[in-house]
Amino acid sequence: MRTDPVGTIAEGDRVVAEGTAGATTVTGTACDNRRIGVRTVRDGRIASVVAYAGTHHVAETLFPGREGGGVQPEGVTGGP
């Protein structure tokens, strides 16, 4: 897996970082995705992280042809 930064914005104790992440699945399909991470910094340390990513794209890449992009693998229940 590779990650590449796109940009950051900082205000007070919060930092928003945008980047891309990419990997190749076991079938050889490329999975490239944009993501955002919101970090709260206290006393020079990361106190919390909230991450957002394009889950629909990832689901379609990992589970092609499944309704809803196959968000959950077989045997997993609950969720969206």
Side-chain angles (χ1 to χ4, degrees), residues 33 46 53 57:
N33 202 13
I46 297 174
H57 167 70

Side-chain angles (χ1 to χ4, degrees), residues 8-55:
T8 58
I9 298 171
E11 183 177 305
D13 63 352
R14 298 183 79 187
V15 177
V16 176
E18 179 184 5
T20 60
T24 303
T25 68
V26 295
T27 63
T29 303
C31 182
D32 295 307
N33 202 13
R34 282 295 259 255
R35 54 195 214 163
I36 297 283
V38 181
R39 293 155 175 85
T40 302
V41 180
R42 290 196 187 98
D43 300 320
R45 300 176 76 113
I46 297 174
S48 68
V49 176
V50 177
Y52 302 90
T55 55

